[in-house]
Amino acid sequence: MKNGLYVMDPARFDDIYGPDERTAIERHLRIAAPPMAADALDPELLGEVNVLVTGWGGPKLDAELLAAAPKLELVLYGAGSARPILTPEFWDRGVRITSAANAIAEAVAEFALAQILFALKHGWRYVLTSRATRSAAVRGPEVGTGGSVVGLVSLGATGRATARLLARHEVVVQAHDPYAEPEPGVRLVGLEELFATSDVVSLHAPLLEETQHLVGARLLESMKPDATLINTARGGLIDENALVEVLRRRPDLFAALDVTDPDPAAPGSPLFELPNIVVTPHLAGSLGPERRRQGRLMAQELAKYVTGEPLGHEITRDGLETRA
């Protein structure tokens, strides 16, 4: 049996690694100490560790930690982007890492689907109009799902999961992703075409240097009449100053933002004032008991590892460049 250690934010540990998930993990690991925070980690505990079980608030996998853990083979990262803990020294050592990003992607996709379908019926618009006028809203030209066009920006894990959920509905799905392989039922188009022809645009791209403020005034101005922009990815993908300016000029457009830049948005932000923008408090990711999906996925990955099966969610150095 291999040796393991739980190191992450204690406040989030039980959310991810509940009793069932720990039982599944500890079938294959001898746990050396109780769960601990990264800043409480005694390097001497790492000497015999083969598998590090972690998540949000995990330790930086730097040269110092790696030197203290000469037998480390695998890191189970029960959260989303592992960028905060990865270093060049980690990749140079050849330790393997797998993450629960795809489990979180499923939760985000479920939320995105709900927002997309609600947007196609102009649900938020009617809610806000009724509240402002204190009367029943007058219905307008909703498009619904019958043949409407949904555009996905990025076909990473969340974008693909959203596309699969949309396949159950009578919508045309198109996507822009310069790195994507074709996805069944999804038409790949340029970014300009996607914004100009979609009834709903849903953002799922990672926030990288080249995607910072990807959505600016030009793309926003090109959107179809009555179109909706949904962001469940990262606030920095949108130039929010441009968003506010364009949506002031074009009250037919609508934005549903689950993330902002900064996140959360500052009190008094115009995002809270415009009648055609709604902001939710970063609900799309895994919440509460949903996070146990992440722990279950890590237990499954560990079982594959110890039996020599290929890992299903391994992160590679090259693959990290284009993922969220």
Side-chain angles (χ1 to χ4, degrees), residues 207-255:
L207 183 59
L208 307 171
E209 184 177 348
E210 58 268 32
T211 61
Q212 179 79 27
H213 289 181
L214 176 70
V215 180
R218 182 174 57 85
L219 289 175
L220 292 165
E221 288 281 15
S222 75
M223 293 180 75
K224 292 175 65 173
D226 299 318
T228 298
L229 175 68
I230 295 171
N231 191 5
T232 57
R234 292 289 183 267
L237 295 173
I238 300 174
D239 179 344
E240 288 183 357
N241 290 332
L243 178 70
V244 169
E245 290 175 9
V246 172
L247 266 65
R248 276 182 175 146
R249 289 197 301 271
R250 288 193 56 185
D252 63 297
L253 297 181
F254 197 87

Side-chain angles (χ1 to χ4, degrees), residues 30-187:
R30 183 185 301 106
I31 300 298
M36 67 190 71
D39 59 8
L41 175 60
D42 182 348
E44 291 187 6
L45 290 172
L46 292 167
E48 299 298 318
V49 168
N50 308 112
V51 179
L52 187 64
V53 185
T54 185
W56 289 304
K60 194 83 167 177
L61 302 173
D62 56 18
E64 182 180 357
L65 183 144
L66 294 167
K71 298 182 180 180
L72 184 64
E73 306 167 12
L74 175 69
V75 176
L76 301 174
Y77 188 70
S81 173
R83 291 176 187 274
I85 69 170
L86 292 173
T87 66
E89 293 84 4
F90 174 82
W91 297 117
D92 293 343
R93 245 289 287 279
V95 179
R96 300 174 71 182
I97 182 169
T98 185
S99 91
N102 283 354
I104 297 175
E106 293 293 332
V108 176
E110 291 165 359
F111 184 85
L113 175 70
Q115 291 282 46
I116 289 166
L117 298 180
F118 202 48
L120 289 172
K121 291 184 179 289
H122 291 179
W124 279 121
R125 302 174 195 234
Y126 294 140
V127 169
L128 297 179
T129 298
S130 294
R131 180 165 294 176
T133 62
R134 298 187 180 183
S135 61
V138 177
R139 286 180 50 188
E142 314 93 344
V143 290
T145 57
S148 55
V149 180
V150 177
L152 306 176
V153 178
S154 179
L155 283 176
T158 307
R160 291 195 308 273
T162 305
R164 290 193 293 270
L165 293 177
L166 286 168
R168 305 173 190 174
H169 304 274
E170 294 181 354
V171 297
V172 175
V173 182
Q174 57 186 13
H176 170 74
D177 190 325
Y179 304 101
E181 296 294 327
E183 182 78 11
V186 179
R187 181 174 65 197

